[in-house]
Amino acid sequence: MRNVCIAGNWKMNMIPSEGKAFAAQLIDAASKAAENETVVVAPPFITIPAVIEAVKGSPIKVAAQNMSDQASGAFTGEVSADMLLDAGVTYVILGHSERRALYGEDDAFINRKVRYALEKGLNVILCVGETLEERESGRLEQVLQTQVTEGLKDVSASQMADVIIAYEPVWAIGTGKTATADDANSAHSFIRGVVADILSEDVANNLIIQYGGSVKPNNVKSLMSMEHIDGALVGGASLTVEQFAPIVQFND
Ligand code: PGA
């Protein structure tokens, strides 16, 4: 059985005091999660230290939502891998569609970040996914193939133990529209096939592939029941304990 990972992407929400209070309330649900499940929250950079403090000694892991591809130096506004590691961060989300669309991040740039994060010992959640226009014009597989292949360029089979792929169809993010469990499962199965081709069957079989895009307490069970769906990357519903706790405990 593959491992499972439920991650909450807070985006630009939660000031430090809110994040701290939220994290403390989530510990109970995270402690009751299944043995093969990892629970991750991704606060904004400034909120990370307060959350790390609050989750100390609990099973909750903390992710950053982005990271520089550079080690240090004159890069105003950027945050390095060493800074994240020193703060206690163990995961980083890279290539989120909002970074791709709003800040012009392309596959080559994302790949530099992926390789650097892995070199530094961070776990990576690499986001991929098509726009509605790409899906409707029949380019779903081509887009996923490119994003996965380019995003994982020069990543070794052994480094893949620290990689999660999040399939997030852009049209389902924050819109209330979820891919059907069958559509998501077939995209996940395609992604697994691409990983098998570029790395190995073994790597592909062990890879956690999360679904993201309007995951809620009422659809998480059907998504998680699918063969190739091993977790969720949750935006809006990760902002209240009322919604996120039942997602974390989808197995109950
Ligand atoms: P959503 O966001 O759950 O609000 O659709 C998901 C994401 O962008 O990671």
mmCIF file of all heavy atoms in Angstrom, residues 97-126:
data_model
loop_
_atom_site.group_PDB
_atom_site.id
_atom_site.type_symbol
_atom_site.label_atom_id
_atom_site.label_comp_id
_atom_site.label_asym_id
_atom_site.label_seq_id
_atom_site.Cartn_x
_atom_site.Cartn_y
_atom_site.Cartn_z
ATOM 1 N N SER A 97 0.185 26.312 -9.684
ATOM 2 C CA SER A 97 -0.314 26.989 -10.890
ATOM 3 C C SER A 97 -0.410 28.497 -10.699
ATOM 4 O O SER A 97 -0.301 29.254 -11.668
ATOM 5 C CB SER A 97 -1.671 26.421 -11.303
ATOM 6 O OG SER A 97 -2.628 26.715 -10.320
ATOM 7 N N GLU A 98 -0.615 28.957 -9.444
ATOM 8 C CA GLU A 98 -0.646 30.408 -9.224
ATOM 9 C C GLU A 98 0.743 31.010 -9.445
ATOM 10 O O GLU A 98 0.878 32.121 -9.952
ATOM 11 C CB GLU A 98 -1.192 30.713 -7.822
ATOM 12 C CG GLU A 98 -2.696 30.499 -7.780
ATOM 13 C CD GLU A 98 -3.253 30.079 -6.430
ATOM 14 O OE1 GLU A 98 -2.580 30.261 -5.400
ATOM 15 O OE2 GLU A 98 -4.383 29.548 -6.412
ATOM 16 N N ARG A 99 1.802 30.294 -9.080
ATOM 17 C CA ARG A 99 3.169 30.767 -9.351
ATOM 18 C C ARG A 99 3.441 30.732 -10.858
ATOM 19 O O ARG A 99 4.079 31.620 -11.413
ATOM 20 C CB ARG A 99 4.226 29.911 -8.630
ATOM 21 C CG ARG A 99 4.058 29.780 -7.142
ATOM 22 C CD ARG A 99 4.689 30.833 -6.277
ATOM 23 N NE ARG A 99 5.647 31.715 -6.843
ATOM 24 C CZ ARG A 99 5.810 32.984 -6.407
ATOM 25 N NH1 ARG A 99 5.052 33.475 -5.442
ATOM 26 N NH2 ARG A 99 6.726 33.754 -6.928
ATOM 27 N N ARG A 100 2.944 29.685 -11.513
ATOM 28 C CA ARG A 100 3.166 29.592 -12.965
ATOM 29 C C ARG A 100 2.430 30.721 -13.685
ATOM 30 O O ARG A 100 3.000 31.419 -14.520
ATOM 31 C CB ARG A 100 2.652 28.244 -13.504
ATOM 32 C CG ARG A 100 3.441 27.022 -13.033
ATOM 33 C CD ARG A 100 2.783 25.735 -13.551
ATOM 34 N NE ARG A 100 3.335 24.525 -12.978
ATOM 35 C CZ ARG A 100 4.261 23.750 -13.571
ATOM 36 N NH1 ARG A 100 4.744 24.076 -14.742
ATOM 37 N NH2 ARG A 100 4.697 22.644 -12.976
ATOM 38 N N ALA A 101 1.146 30.925 -13.332
ATOM 39 C CA ALA A 101 0.318 31.873 -14.096
ATOM 40 C C ALA A 101 0.565 33.324 -13.695
ATOM 41 O O ALA A 101 0.625 34.205 -14.542
ATOM 42 C CB ALA A 101 -1.158 31.524 -13.915
ATOM 43 N N LEU A 102 0.706 33.595 -12.381
ATOM 44 C CA LEU A 102 0.780 34.992 -11.926
ATOM 45 C C LEU A 102 2.206 35.517 -11.890
ATOM 46 O O LEU A 102 2.430 36.718 -11.968
ATOM 47 C CB LEU A 102 0.163 35.133 -10.522
ATOM 48 C CG LEU A 102 -1.284 34.675 -10.366
ATOM 49 C CD1 LEU A 102 -1.721 34.746 -8.907
ATOM 50 C CD2 LEU A 102 -2.200 35.541 -11.225
ATOM 51 N N TYR A 103 3.186 34.632 -11.727
ATOM 52 C CA TYR A 103 4.576 35.083 -11.579
ATOM 53 C C TYR A 103 5.498 34.522 -12.657
ATOM 54 O O TYR A 103 6.717 34.592 -12.524
ATOM 55 C CB TYR A 103 5.078 34.732 -10.164
ATOM 56 C CG TYR A 103 4.195 35.365 -9.111
ATOM 57 C CD1 TYR A 103 3.215 34.625 -8.459
ATOM 58 C CD2 TYR A 103 4.291 36.734 -8.833
ATOM 59 C CE1 TYR A 103 2.361 35.216 -7.546
ATOM 60 C CE2 TYR A 103 3.438 37.333 -7.921
ATOM 61 C CZ TYR A 103 2.474 36.571 -7.282
ATOM 62 O OH TYR A 103 1.621 37.164 -6.389
ATOM 63 N N GLY A 104 4.900 33.955 -13.685
ATOM 64 C CA GLY A 104 5.668 33.556 -14.865
ATOM 65 C C GLY A 104 6.679 32.442 -14.643
ATOM 66 O O GLY A 104 7.665 32.353 -15.373
ATOM 67 N N GLU A 105 6.469 31.589 -13.653
ATOM 68 C CA GLU A 105 7.435 30.505 -13.433
ATOM 69 C C GLU A 105 7.256 29.434 -14.521
ATOM 70 O O GLU A 105 6.163 28.927 -14.723
ATOM 71 C CB GLU A 105 7.236 29.895 -12.036
ATOM 72 C CG GLU A 105 7.544 30.892 -10.935
ATOM 73 C CD GLU A 105 7.760 30.231 -9.561
ATOM 74 O OE1 GLU A 105 7.788 28.993 -9.467
ATOM 75 O OE2 GLU A 105 7.888 30.986 -8.588
ATOM 76 N N ASP A 106 8.353 29.112 -15.200
ATOM 77 C CA ASP A 106 8.248 28.082 -16.233
ATOM 78 C C ASP A 106 8.879 26.771 -15.750
ATOM 79 O O ASP A 106 9.450 26.704 -14.661
ATOM 80 C CB ASP A 106 8.862 28.557 -17.562
ATOM 81 C CG ASP A 106 10.352 28.840 -17.452
ATOM 82 O OD1 ASP A 106 10.981 28.447 -16.433
ATOM 83 O OD2 ASP A 106 10.903 29.445 -18.385
ATOM 84 N N ASP A 107 8.762 25.743 -16.581
ATOM 85 C CA ASP A 107 9.207 24.413 -16.156
ATOM 86 C C ASP A 107 10.702 24.371 -15.828
ATOM 87 O O ASP A 107 11.107 23.683 -14.891
ATOM 88 C CB ASP A 107 8.877 23.378 -17.242
ATOM 89 C CG ASP A 107 7.390 23.071 -17.310
ATOM 90 O OD1 ASP A 107 6.761 22.955 -16.241
ATOM 91 O OD2 ASP A 107 6.854 22.951 -18.421
ATOM 92 N N ALA A 108 11.507 25.113 -16.596
ATOM 93 C CA ALA A 108 12.957 25.069 -16.362
ATOM 94 C C ALA A 108 13.297 25.692 -15.003
ATOM 95 O O ALA A 108 14.139 25.171 -14.253
ATOM 96 C CB ALA A 108 13.689 25.805 -17.485
ATOM 97 N N PHE A 109 12.642 26.795 -14.692
ATOM 98 C CA PHE A 109 12.869 27.487 -13.418
ATOM 99 C C PHE A 109 12.392 26.607 -12.255
ATOM 100 O O PHE A 109 13.082 26.450 -11.236
ATOM 101 C CB PHE A 109 12.100 28.814 -13.453
ATOM 102 C CG PHE A 109 12.294 29.705 -12.257
ATOM 103 C CD1 PHE A 109 13.574 30.028 -11.797
ATOM 104 C CD2 PHE A 109 11.191 30.266 -11.609
ATOM 105 C CE1 PHE A 109 13.732 30.878 -10.698
ATOM 106 C CE2 PHE A 109 11.355 31.118 -10.522
ATOM 107 C CZ PHE A 109 12.625 31.422 -10.066
ATOM 108 N N ILE A 110 11.230 26.012 -12.435
ATOM 109 C CA ILE A 110 10.687 25.132 -11.394
ATOM 110 C C ILE A 110 11.623 23.939 -11.185
ATOM 111 O O ILE A 110 11.903 23.536 -10.058
ATOM 112 C CB ILE A 110 9.250 24.681 -11.777
ATOM 113 C CG1 ILE A 110 8.307 25.896 -11.739
ATOM 114 C CG2 ILE A 110 8.746 23.577 -10.840
ATOM 115 C CD1 ILE A 110 7.010 25.723 -12.508
ATOM 116 N N ASN A 111 12.142 23.400 -12.284
ATOM 117 C CA ASN A 111 13.072 22.267 -12.174
ATOM 118 C C ASN A 111 14.333 22.645 -11.396
ATOM 119 O O ASN A 111 14.839 21.838 -10.605
ATOM 120 C CB ASN A 111 13.437 21.763 -13.582
ATOM 121 C CG ASN A 111 14.503 20.681 -13.540
ATOM 122 O OD1 ASN A 111 15.635 20.907 -13.948
ATOM 123 N ND2 ASN A 111 14.158 19.514 -13.033
ATOM 124 N N ARG A 112 14.831 23.857 -11.593
ATOM 125 C CA ARG A 112 16.024 24.283 -10.818
ATOM 126 C C ARG A 112 15.704 24.283 -9.328
ATOM 127 O O ARG A 112 16.502 23.872 -8.501
ATOM 128 C CB ARG A 112 16.501 25.672 -11.257
ATOM 129 C CG ARG A 112 17.227 25.684 -12.579
ATOM 130 C CD ARG A 112 18.170 26.888 -12.688
ATOM 131 N NE ARG A 112 17.474 28.171 -12.614
ATOM 132 C CZ ARG A 112 16.837 28.733 -13.640
ATOM 133 N NH1 ARG A 112 16.789 28.119 -14.810
ATOM 134 N NH2 ARG A 112 16.256 29.904 -13.507
ATOM 135 N N LYS A 113 14.513 24.766 -8.998
ATOM 136 C CA LYS A 113 14.108 24.783 -7.585
ATOM 137 C C LYS A 113 13.935 23.359 -7.054
ATOM 138 O O LYS A 113 14.327 23.061 -5.932
ATOM 139 C CB LYS A 113 12.789 25.541 -7.417
ATOM 140 C CG LYS A 113 12.852 27.001 -7.800
ATOM 141 C CD LYS A 113 11.546 27.641 -7.373
ATOM 142 C CE LYS A 113 11.368 29.011 -7.986
ATOM 143 N NZ LYS A 113 10.398 29.813 -7.248
ATOM 144 N N VAL A 114 13.327 22.502 -7.856
ATOM 145 C CA VAL A 114 13.100 21.110 -7.437
ATOM 146 C C VAL A 114 14.442 20.455 -7.120
ATOM 147 O O VAL A 114 14.627 19.845 -6.055
ATOM 148 C CB VAL A 114 12.354 20.306 -8.541
ATOM 149 C CG1 VAL A 114 12.390 18.804 -8.250
ATOM 150 C CG2 VAL A 114 10.912 20.789 -8.675
ATOM 151 N N ARG A 115 15.400 20.591 -8.036
ATOM 152 C CA ARG A 115 16.695 19.922 -7.836
ATOM 153 C C ARG A 115 17.426 20.495 -6.633
ATOM 154 O O ARG A 115 18.032 19.772 -5.853
ATOM 155 C CB ARG A 115 17.548 20.031 -9.107
ATOM 156 C CG ARG A 115 17.094 19.028 -10.163
ATOM 157 C CD ARG A 115 17.980 19.043 -11.374
ATOM 158 N NE ARG A 115 17.765 20.249 -12.144
ATOM 159 C CZ ARG A 115 18.729 21.009 -12.645
ATOM 160 N NH1 ARG A 115 19.987 20.714 -12.465
ATOM 161 N NH2 ARG A 115 18.425 22.095 -13.335
ATOM 162 N N TYR A 116 17.331 21.821 -6.480
ATOM 163 C CA TYR A 116 18.026 22.450 -5.354
ATOM 164 C C TYR A 116 17.390 22.043 -4.021
ATOM 165 O O TYR A 116 18.090 21.726 -3.057
ATOM 166 C CB TYR A 116 18.036 23.969 -5.536
ATOM 167 C CG TYR A 116 18.938 24.655 -4.538
ATOM 168 C CD1 TYR A 116 20.261 24.247 -4.392
ATOM 169 C CD2 TYR A 116 18.472 25.679 -3.722
ATOM 170 C CE1 TYR A 116 21.095 24.835 -3.457
ATOM 171 C CE2 TYR A 116 19.292 26.285 -2.794
ATOM 172 C CZ TYR A 116 20.608 25.857 -2.671
ATOM 173 O OH TYR A 116 21.417 26.438 -1.743
ATOM 174 N N ALA A 117 16.088 22.019 -3.960
ATOM 175 C CA ALA A 117 15.392 21.624 -2.725
ATOM 176 C C ALA A 117 15.772 20.188 -2.348
ATOM 177 O O ALA A 117 16.045 19.888 -1.180
ATOM 178 C CB ALA A 117 13.880 21.740 -2.917
ATOM 179 N N LEU A 118 15.813 19.299 -3.344
ATOM 180 C CA LEU A 118 16.140 17.888 -3.072
ATOM 181 C C LEU A 118 17.585 17.737 -2.613
ATOM 182 O O LEU A 118 17.879 16.984 -1.684
ATOM 183 C CB LEU A 118 15.878 17.032 -4.316
ATOM 184 C CG LEU A 118 14.397 16.886 -4.690
ATOM 185 C CD1 LEU A 118 14.256 16.201 -6.042
ATOM 186 C CD2 LEU A 118 13.625 16.120 -3.617
ATOM 187 N N GLU A 119 18.476 18.489 -3.280
ATOM 188 C CA GLU A 119 19.894 18.480 -2.868
ATOM 189 C C GLU A 119 20.032 18.881 -1.399
ATOM 190 O O GLU A 119 20.861 18.372 -0.676
ATOM 191 C CB GLU A 119 20.625 19.555 -3.675
ATOM 192 C CG GLU A 119 21.787 19.097 -4.507
ATOM 193 C CD GLU A 119 22.223 20.278 -5.357
ATOM 194 O OE1 GLU A 119 22.784 21.242 -4.800
ATOM 195 O OE2 GLU A 119 21.954 20.237 -6.584
ATOM 196 N N LYS A 120 19.198 19.827 -0.994
ATOM 197 C CA LYS A 120 19.258 20.358 0.372
ATOM 198 C C LYS A 120 18.537 19.463 1.387
ATOM 199 O O LYS A 120 18.565 19.708 2.583
ATOM 200 C CB LYS A 120 18.623 21.759 0.396
ATOM 201 C CG LYS A 120 19.529 22.822 -0.177
ATOM 202 C CD LYS A 120 20.646 23.060 0.795
ATOM 203 C CE LYS A 120 21.688 24.025 0.350
ATOM 204 N NZ LYS A 120 22.699 24.231 1.401
ATOM 205 N N GLY A 121 17.815 18.459 0.900
ATOM 206 C CA GLY A 121 17.149 17.533 1.814
ATOM 207 C C GLY A 121 15.706 17.888 2.142
ATOM 208 O O GLY A 121 15.127 17.339 3.073
ATOM 209 N N LEU A 122 15.129 18.817 1.372
ATOM 210 C CA LEU A 122 13.703 19.120 1.568
ATOM 211 C C LEU A 122 12.847 18.132 0.773
ATOM 212 O O LEU A 122 13.275 17.630 -0.272
ATOM 213 C CB LEU A 122 13.393 20.541 1.085
ATOM 214 C CG LEU A 122 13.873 21.675 1.983
ATOM 215 C CD1 LEU A 122 13.956 22.985 1.199
ATOM 216 C CD2 LEU A 122 12.943 21.846 3.185
ATOM 217 N N ASN A 123 11.662 17.837 1.272
ATOM 218 C CA ASN A 123 10.684 17.077 0.493
ATOM 219 C C ASN A 123 9.971 18.056 -0.431
ATOM 220 O O ASN A 123 9.618 19.166 -0.002
ATOM 221 C CB ASN A 123 9.647 16.432 1.417
ATOM 222 C CG ASN A 123 10.260 15.393 2.309
ATOM 223 O OD1 ASN A 123 10.540 14.286 1.885
ATOM 224 N ND2 ASN A 123 10.492 15.756 3.557
ATOM 225 N N VAL A 124 9.738 17.629 -1.656
ATOM 226 C CA VAL A 124 9.139 18.518 -2.653
ATOM 227 C C VAL A 124 7.730 18.057 -3.003
ATOM 228 O O VAL A 124 7.508 16.864 -3.234
ATOM 229 C CB VAL A 124 10.008 18.528 -3.935
ATOM 230 C CG1 VAL A 124 9.275 19.188 -5.095
ATOM 231 C CG2 VAL A 124 11.332 19.239 -3.673
ATOM 232 N N ILE A 125 6.796 19.013 -3.032
ATOM 233 C CA ILE A 125 5.476 18.756 -3.621
ATOM 234 C C ILE A 125 5.460 19.520 -4.945
ATOM 235 O O ILE A 125 5.400 20.752 -4.964
ATOM 236 C CB ILE A 125 4.326 19.229 -2.699
ATOM 237 C CG1 ILE A 125 4.363 18.468 -1.363
ATOM 238 C CG2 ILE A 125 2.973 19.040 -3.398
ATOM 239 C CD1 ILE A 125 3.305 18.899 -0.341
ATOM 240 N N LEU A 126 5.595 18.795 -6.044
ATOM 241 C CA LEU A 126 5.649 19.408 -7.370
ATOM 242 C C LEU A 126 4.239 19.425 -7.969
ATOM 243 O O LEU A 126 3.629 18.375 -8.161
ATOM 244 C CB LEU A 126 6.590 18.605 -8.286
ATOM 245 C CG LEU A 126 6.568 18.979 -9.774
ATOM 246 C CD1 LEU A 126 7.058 20.412 -10.008
ATOM 247 C CD2 LEU A 126 7.394 17.988 -10.594
#
